[in-house]
Amino acid sequence: LKAPSRSDASLFPINLEKRTLTMTHIRSKLETAVTLVDSLFTQYALMGRRTFLYSIKTRPIAASKPLIAKFSWQVCTRKAEQDLVAAARKAGVKHLPRIHMWAEVWKLSEGIRRTFYEKGKAAFEDRTLRAIVYTQYSSIKELFSHSPKLIPVMVFQMIDCTSNHSNLCALYAYWL
């Protein structure tokens, strides 16, 4: 993935399937090729984060479980999502998604939109397209169809999160 040049007709391709970007694995420090396989979710927005998720394949293999890549346009001046997750983990919040890799792909102030940011012309905050690779979790519907025994575990995790760490959980949920 790269920032579009000034001559590109569109700001970003409609679909990123089969595109590959390179990210550094947090633990192994290996450069990893991340190929986007299937679009799982897209939130269209005129303004905001415009979040989209893809199932991915990695080379070399980054985890034993399936992974997803989350892309979102995050305001540059705010704390990055991966930093919020790290702070929440350090504070003892449990049941957070595991981040394997992350990258800042490019800023809105780069490439074709640079003219809006030159010499103080910006009418809105600059945003960075961030990619974060998480472990892919099963949907609640899928989990319950295999084993209703997991319902008490899920309820306990929700209560634990809201009662013991409500401020951090709320902060994390706000930034997602």
Side-chain angles (χ1 to χ4, degrees):
L1 298 174
K2 63 178 185 173
S5 68
R6 289 183 185 258
S7 62
D8 285 344
S10 65
L11 179 62
F12 212 70
I14 293 172
N15 191 320
L16 298 174
E17 287 178 7
K18 298 180 183 166
R19 304 269 178 134
T20 299
L21 69 151
T22 303
M23 300 172 84
T24 303
H25 194 276
I26 292 172
R27 291 196 175 144
S28 70
K29 306 297 184 206
L30 289 174
E31 289 293 309
T32 305
V34 177
T35 302
L36 309 180
V37 179
D38 292 314
S39 176
L40 301 174
F41 172 81
T42 300
Q43 174 196 28
Y44 294 98
L46 292 175
M47 288 185 68
R49 291 188 211 129
R50 197 210 180 277
T51 300
F52 46 105
L53 301 172
Y54 280 86
S55 62
I56 63 170
K57 298 279 185 204
T58 60
R59 203 175 48 254
I61 295 173
S64 59
K65 294 182 178 181
L67 301 174
I68 60 167
K70 175 186 175 184
F71 294 84
S72 62
W73 289 101
Q74 298 177 15
V75 174
C76 296
T77 56
R78 293 190 182 158
K79 191 163 238 175
E81 182 176 335
Q82 65 273 6
D83 296 336
L84 291 171
V85 172
R89 281 191 187 283
K90 188 175 179 179
V93 177
K94 298 177 183 177
H95 319 298
L96 293 173
R98 181 169 173 210
I99 295 177
H100 299 270
M101 297 173 265
W102 65 271
E104 293 189 359
V105 182
W106 59 282
K107 291 183 179 182
L108 281 178
S109 60
E110 297 172 343
I112 198 167
R113 288 193 163 181
R114 182 176 297 127
T115 57
F116 294 110
Y117 289 93
E118 291 173 354
K119 298 178 187 166
K121 294 181 187 177
F124 49 91
E125 291 181 279
D126 197 6
R127 291 179 180 267
T128 300
L129 178 63
R130 290 195 174 110
I132 302 175
V133 173
Y134 288 106
T135 302
Q136 182 175 3
Y137 294 105
S138 302
S139 71
I140 291 173
K141 183 178 178 182
E142 182 182 329
L143 287 173
F144 293 158
S145 68
H146 295 295
S147 176
K149 294 177 186 176
L150 295 174
I151 293 174
V153 173
M154 179 203 62
V155 171
F156 171 77
Q157 289 178 2
M158 289 189 315
I159 291 170
D160 179 51
C161 187
T162 57
S163 64
N164 294 333
H165 310 289
S166 60
N167 291 339
L168 286 170
C169 290
L171 177 66
Y172 178 72
Y174 171 78
W175 286 103
L176 290 179

